[in-house]
Structures are given as C-alpha cells and as structure tokens.
Amino acid sequence: MPRKSNSTTTNSDTRQERKLDVRLSDIKEGNWWQRTKSFLLNPRTRQVCGVLFLLLALFAAIACLHYFFSGSNDQSLVTQPRGARLESRGQIANLLGLPGAMLANWLIDGLFGLSALLLIFLTAYAGLRMLSVKFKASASRIVLSSLFWLLWGSVTLAFIQKSVYVPLFFHLGGMLGDQVASAMLSYVFTLGTLLILLGTLIIYLILSNKNFVPAVQRLWQKLTTKKEPNPDPSHDPASEQPDDENELSIGDDEHKDDNDNDKDDNEGNTIKIELTPLSDDEDKDVSAGVDVEIQPTHDEEVKDEGEDDVSDNDDTDITLDDIQSSDVELVEQLPDYDPHLDLSTYKYPTLDLLKTYDNETAPIVDPAEQQANADRIVTTLRNYGIEIERIRATVGPTVTLYEVVPQAGVRIAKIQSLENDIMLSLSAIGIRIIAPMPGKGTVGIEVPNEKPQVVSMHSVIASKRFQEEQKMRLPVALGRTITNEVFCFDLAKTPHLIVAGATGQGKSVGLNAIITSLLYKKHPSELKFVLVDPKMVEFSIYKPLIKHFMAAMPDQEDRDIIITDSQKVINSLNSLVIEMEDRYSLLADAGVRNLEDYNDKFIHRRLNPEKDVENLVTHKILHHRYMPYIVIIIDEYGDFIMQSGKEVERPIQRLTQKARAVGMHMILATQRPDVKVVTGIIKANVPTRIAFRTQSVVDSRTVLDTKGAEHLVGKGDLLYSGGGNITRIQCAFVDTPEVEAIVDYIHGQQGYTEPYQLPEYVPEGGGDDEPARAGEVDMKRLDPMFADVARYVVSKQEGSTSRLQRAFEIGYNRAGKLSDQLEAAGVVGPNKGPKGRDVLIQDMESLELLLQRLGVG
C-alpha cells in the first residue's frame, strides 16, 4: 500500500510538471492569446456578461422612464459642479438617485433625445444574445438598422422641435441631434432639411428592404390604373373590374404586410454611433455594409464566411522574417500606441479648485448709467453738428459698447476726431472709437463701466464652449468679450504670440490664464512647457510640475527648471532649435507635414521606432517617437534682448519662423514694446498679438499696428489681434491661491521619473572641459527600473525596445531611454533596427556583479 501511494504521488507531480511545461511553452509560442480568447468565449463568461448587460439596461430604463417625470427638477442639480452636485444629491427625485438622474440626463438631453431609448434596447439585446437567446433577425441587420434609426430619429425629432415649438425641459432630439439640425437649417433652411430627411429615409428603405421598390411600383401602378379609361369596348367593367380590384388589393395587402413586418423589425433596433456626423466616405461605407449584410441569401453568407477563412489561411503564409524586415512588425504584433500609458491614472484638474464669484456669468446691467451715457454721447455729437439716427448699448463685463448710426452725409473721420471731447463729456478713464464697426455699418464707442465685473477663471473654464471644445489642439480660454461670450483660441493655429502691456495692467495674469487653460485640457504626455522668467517670481509657482509638464536640457538641475539666467536662456533656446531640427528630420522620414499627422501615424504603429533616422544637419541618429507639443513662454524677453542681443534674438527668430509645423509654439511677453524689442522680423513671424494697456499710442502701434491700447482701462482689459480682426476682451482672473491649488493637485499624482529631455546644446568653444556628446547617457541618473529591466533582458536574451515596452507596460520614450542605459552599461549592444539589440551578458552572475559596481540592486 505505501508503495502505491508513493507511486500515485509521483505520477501526480509528474503530470503537474508536464502541465506547467505545456503552459510555459504555450506562452513562449504565443498561445496566450488563444487561451485569453477561449476565456472570453467561455459560456460562463458570456453568461455573466449577459446578466450585467441586462442589469445595466434595466437600470437605464428605470432611470430614463422616471426622467420624464422628475427630470425638470433634477436637471439643475446634475449640471452643477461636482462638489455641489454631491452635496445636493439628497434632493434628487429620480428613483435611482444621483447616478440614475445623471445617466438619464446624459442619454436623453445630452445625446440622442428620445432616440436614446434605443440604446437601452440594444444593451438588453446584447445581454440576451450572450445568454444564448435566439432572434429571428440577424445581428448585422439589427446593428445596421439601429445605426440609421438612432441618428435619423435624433435629427428628425430635433428638427420637429425647432420647427414646431414644443415646451419641454429637454431637447427632443438630444444635444447631438439639435446641433446637426441647427447646422442643416442654417445652410438649407426648412424645406431643404425636410428633403434631406425624407431622402435619407427613402434610401435606407431601399437598401434595407428589397420589397420596398416593387411595393412602391405596384402602388403607383394601382393609382395610375384607376385614372385611365379602358380602351377595349368589348370589355365588361361590371363583370371583370371587381375581380381585378380584388386581385390588386390582395396582392398589395400581402406586400404591405411584408413591408410592415420588415419595417417593424428595423424600428425596434439600435446601435451606439459616433458623436460626429459621417463624412461622405464613411456614409458610403455604411451603405455598402447595409447592402452586403441584409441582401444576400443564406448560401451567399456561407460563401462569404468561407472566403474569410481562405484569407485568414493566406495570412499565415507570411514568414516571421518577412514581418521583422519591415515596419509591418509593429502593426501586426502591437496594439495602438497609448501615449497616456505611463501615467494612465492621471486625473485632470477639477473645477472646484477655482474660485467662484457672484453673478460671474452675467454682466452687471445699470439702465440709468446706460441711458445717461447715451444722452451725453448724443449731446456731444450734436454740439459739433453731427446728427444720429439711433443708438443702442451692449453691456460687457468691463465696458459697454454704444453703437451709433449717423445720418447720411456725416463723415466718419469727424466722429473719430471727437474722441477726447466724448471722453470729457463722459468723465471716463478712456474710450475707444471703432469707425466703422466691421460688417455692421455703425460706429462703435466703447465706454468703461462704473462698476466693472470680475471675470473669473472658473466661469470660462466651466463654460460649455471650453468644456465641449474638441477641434482645438491647444485650446486657451482667455476671457469674455464685450458681448459677454467666452473667448477661446487655438494656440496651435496662432501659432506664436506676443503679449505686451505696461506694468500692473494684467500681463502676468494673462499668462497664468493661458497656462491654466492648457493644464485643464492636456495630458502630461501631450504637452510640455519651457518657462523663462527673469523676475524669478512669476513662474516659480509652477516648479512642482517638473515631472509632469516641464521640458529640460540634460543635467539641468531641478531648481533651475524655471530659467532665469541669460546664458541659460541662450543655451535653452538653441537646444529648442536642435529639437526643432530633429523633429523636422523625423517628419520628413515619416512623409508627413505636421506634428498631428506624425503622432497619428506613430499611434497607429505605421512608424518603426527601431529605424535609424539621420539628422542631415548634425548627422545624429534619431528614432521615431511620440512627440508632445512644446510651449515656450518668455516673460519680459525685452530684458534678454537688451542683455544678449543677437544671441537671444537669433534662435527666437528661427523658432518663430519654422517651429509651428513640429508643434513648438512661443509666447513672448514684454512691458516695453518698442521697436528694438518687437522687431520687424519678430512681428512678421508672430501675427497674433495681445495688448494690455500701454503707456503711449506709440507702444500700441508697435504691438497692434494701430492705436487703442493706450485707452484701455487696465486690470485685465486687453485687445486681441488675430486673423485681421481686433477683439476687446476682459481677461479671466486667476489668483495665486488658485494656481497653487491646481499645481498641488497635479503634483500629488504620479509623474514621470524626469522632465522631458531636450537635446544637449554645446556652445562653440565652450569651456576648458570637453563637453558631453549629444545623447550621452548619465550613468549616475539611471532609471529606477534599470535593475529589473537588465535582469529581464539577460534572462530572455532579448534586447528589443518594443519587447521592454510590452513586458513592463511602459511608454516607448521611457523604454528607449532604458535601452540606451543598458547599452551604456554594457548589457546590450548598439541598436540594429528591426533586428533589435544583441545581449552581451550571458549569465545572471555576471549581471549581478555589474549591478553592484553601478550601485543598483
């Protein structure tokens, strides 16, 4: 008996070891995907997911149905900022509380209106399919039909609500349908929109129902047959006509029933679609999909499946050597590159970090003040023989615009010459006359308000325009216009910016507003700053962001991340020029014209990061990588121009001339906008300018090429010149405690191990010591993962950067730096492109000795 027990135990251990060996061999051979796939297709996994989908559908159905009774009360609560929303959750009337109210408001009012109920149906349908419930209609038919009814129904309901006033607390077609319907009405008006909706409905019915056209033809034939007399005199209409009519009616009813059944099948289906309207190409693809999926018979579907199988077998004929010898390796073996992967848990700053003010979204209206100013303007103009037809006022946060329509024959130049007289009559700090108003046929007179309003940063960041902005690559919410609208611009299209103004007029607050806007919109992997501050106090508040949003030269001390010394400014600017040239070399090799297209190619694995790319200027070897935007902000750059002259001006000129396409944008701020600082070359390459109040009209003309900035009221009142137009804006006010709260919120999260590394710049004849070569690795600042990565490389005897990226779930930039450090330490050899790197250390004992010498464990 004991011998049998030992034998049994030995056999059991042997079987377990064999199973373990099989699993390890499966992982090495790539069968892990098959095991993952089998887990996902496991019946129990599908059943659990099906139950979860049904519960989600039930939850959403209850929330949405009760939304029609309680949504008017809950809507004002769920649209509050997060903190206030949580505090008032006890007042929610929805049966499912705050989550139910938010979900229902988002689905119905925020997305597709009443059509959003089809999303709930589709969720329940998916759950039932996972529970193996059979349906008559095919899944492709339901999906494609739902895609149409969801979009078409949303736009149609929005069109009905706009055409016939329906007093509801929510958008009948949702915000998406409302936007599409508004765009259609603004271009083709009501009749055109109606024709488009009817046309798309008919096209859909033709594509989805093969009996639709024959049924319409029979109906048309029936209608036309009744109107035509019988040409045969021998024909007896009394005896034969009833039979013919009965025959037509029966045939029509049968086909009508078929159509109705098909239509009912289509109407009860739904699918989740993209939030943007389809382009022409995409529309064609959808139509083709409808034709292929719905029209073929069962035999054709079987044939299609067989063709797919053949194509899959053909793919297996490609050898591994063929894949590794081209850039296709990245597409075949890796998913899309995720630039957020290194900081996947990063959370954007919340709105409750910003201070709120009373009535921050509405201007302070004083009818008595407006009437008094209007009377003074009319009286002053009449005293000089100028009669006007009418005058109207538009109240802004800081100034009120009075639009004057002069009588025929009055010269506008005469009104402009009375600027000082009107200012005297109004007892105003400064007025600005716009003669004429662009596109209006009026003369504008801007008069400061007696009680100016504070435009908070919270009011512009929390605005719908800024929150829902998706097209701008570097969106900046600058403040509010004279009509109290939030003013946003895209720094990526600007592409560079001059900010000028006298001391104490709001220039520094404006720069903080620009930085704050970008911090609220961009992930650390997408944006880096280079901040230059000769005053040493303006940008020091942003030092804690060194591991998130800062770029630095190699060996730059953390305390010097905000550049203050003139020599370091020169080095940093020249380093940025080298970065610009490197980026242009990578863009040229990728065959693209701008950074956005380049990053899109890199994300979709159409660029090989192992490929050697030579910079034709410096002959440095580069590799494709994801590249963030770089925003360079130089506060009071006039000081550096005065100190260093051409040494600073030359790299600034090169950056403003060429850096736009590679995602590098410069903001130059100065309080002395004279011609020695704002030179002609700088102005030619920086077409967008912001002018706060200046000391003289000469300074205003230097910055804006026109007068007006000298009459601003200060405290953030500014003129924005861009695209040939000048807009008056009250800059948003962001206080130091607010900036500190935002910086602390970001600093408290996980950051990168080091700032974004700029290329090293070596001045000509710089120093007695031999400078370090560009790209040289500092072995004193090894990555914290260096030891673990080295052990992995030696144990696997593989040194590919892409393999490190997959194994340790890190971004490519960090994996590339680790590969360079491994090469410098002698663990791996130089890069060989698609073949990876040779591993120079063959055993773990030798590696451990090396790690001890390097001081890492």
Side-chain angles (χ1 to χ4, degrees), residues 123-403:
T123 305
Y125 167 77
L128 293 174
R129 290 273 300 188
M130 291 180 180
L131 294 174
S132 302
V133 177
K134 302 297 183 181
F135 291 86
K136 232 180 213 184
S138 64
S140 59
R141 178 169 186 150
I142 292 177
V143 168
L144 293 172
S145 299
S146 301
L147 175 65
F148 172 81
W149 289 116
L150 187 68
L151 182 60
W152 188 86
S154 176
V155 177
T156 303
L157 290 172
F159 169 73
I160 294 173
Q161 189 174 26
K162 287 182 173 296
S163 302
V164 182
Y165 176 72
V166 181
L168 295 174
F169 65 91
F170 64 93
H171 295 85
L172 203 58
M175 288 297 296
L176 294 177
D178 188 82
Q179 292 177 4
V180 175
S182 298
M184 294 170 65
L185 288 170
S186 65
Y187 281 96
V188 295
F189 305 129
T190 303
L191 181 58
T193 303
L194 184 61
L195 292 175
I196 291 175
L197 292 175
L198 289 176
T200 52
L201 177 62
I202 294 173
I203 292 173
Y204 166 76
L205 293 176
I206 292 174
L207 294 174
S208 62
N209 190 349
K210 61 184 178 182
N211 295 322
F212 176 75
V213 174
V216 172
Q217 291 175 344
R218 285 191 293 270
L219 179 61
W220 175 256
Q221 184 178 5
K222 176 182 177 180
L223 295 175
T224 54
T225 302
K226 286 183 178 180
K227 296 179 181 179
E228 295 178 358
N230 188 1
D232 187 3
S234 63
H235 179 70
D236 185 5
S239 60
E240 296 184 3
Q241 184 65 22
D243 293 337
D244 293 339
E245 289 180 355
N246 291 336
E247 184 177 355
L248 284 174
S249 300
I250 294 172
D252 290 341
D253 288 340
E254 290 175 353
H255 290 292
K256 183 178 180 182
D257 291 340
D258 292 340
N259 285 338
D260 290 342
N261 292 334
D262 291 338
K263 186 175 180 182
D264 291 340
D265 291 340
N266 295 333
E267 287 180 346
N269 307 324
T270 183
I271 185 174
K272 185 175 181 180
I273 64 172
E274 295 180 358
L275 302 183
T276 54
L278 293 175
S279 63
D280 295 337
D281 295 337
E282 292 170 336
D283 192 33
K284 292 176 182 178
D285 293 340
V286 172
S287 300
V290 173
D291 185 53
V292 172
E293 293 291 337
I294 295 178
Q295 296 296 341
T297 61
H298 178 70
D299 294 336
E300 290 173 340
E301 291 178 355
V302 173
K303 182 180 179 180
D304 290 342
E305 293 177 358
E307 292 175 355
D308 291 340
D309 293 337
V310 172
S311 65
D312 290 339
N313 293 333
D314 291 343
D315 289 341
T316 59
D317 293 335
I318 300 175
T319 64
L320 185 61
D321 293 336
D322 294 335
I323 295 176
Q324 291 182 343
S325 62
S326 68
D327 294 350
V328 179
E329 177 189 10
L330 297 174
V331 179
E332 296 290 338
Q333 297 184 3
L334 292 175
D336 284 353
Y337 172 75
D338 182 9
H340 299 177
L341 184 61
D342 285 348
L343 300 183
S344 58
T345 59
Y346 176 80
K347 295 181 180 179
Y348 293 86
T350 57
L351 292 175
D352 56 7
L353 300 174
L354 298 172
K355 189 186 300 183
T356 58
Y357 296 83
D358 294 335
N359 301 321
E360 62 179 13
T361 59
I364 301 173
V365 179
D366 188 346
E369 178 187 348
Q370 295 176 30
Q371 187 61 47
N373 287 338
D375 293 341
R376 293 190 186 101
I377 292 173
V378 173
T379 302
T380 303
L381 294 176
R382 283 178 179 172
N383 290 340
Y384 289 92
I386 299 175
E387 296 292 334
I388 64 173
E389 294 182 358
R390 64 179 183 274
I391 182 173
R392 72 183 186 92
T394 302
V395 182
T398 305
V399 297
T400 299
L401 173 65
Y402 296 89
E403 291 187 65

Side-chain angles (χ1 to χ4, degrees), residues 305 439 450 823:
E305 293 177 358
E450 291 184 5
E823 179 184 354

Side-chain angles (χ1 to χ4, degrees), residues 4 12 51 143 260 274 286 348 418 427 675 680 683 688 779 782 791 808 856:
K4 184 176 182 181
S12 176
V51 172
V143 168
D260 290 342
E274 295 180 358
V286 172
Y348 293 86
L418 299 177
S427 300
V675 293
K683 291 175 65 175
T688 307
M779 299 303 294
L782 294 175
R791 292 187 181 100
F808 292 92
V856 294

Side-chain angles (χ1 to χ4, degrees), residues 10 22 469 640 726 734:
T10 302
V22 171
E469 177 57 54
F640 297 113
I726 295 180
V734 53

Side-chain angles (χ1 to χ4, degrees), residues 33-78:
W33 167 245
Q34 298 295 335
R35 302 179 71 87
T36 304
K37 186 177 179 181
S38 64
F39 169 77
L40 296 176
L41 297 178
N42 187 283
R44 284 186 294 181
T45 304
R46 290 174 57 86
Q47 290 167 4
V48 171
C49 292
V51 172
L52 292 177
F53 271 70
L54 287 176
L55 290 176
L56 177 61
L58 181 61
F59 184 96
I62 296 174
C64 289
L65 291 177
H66 201 260
Y67 176 82
F68 298 115
F69 304 96
S70 63
S72 58
N73 297 326
D74 294 344
Q75 196 171 55
S76 60
L77 299 176
V78 299

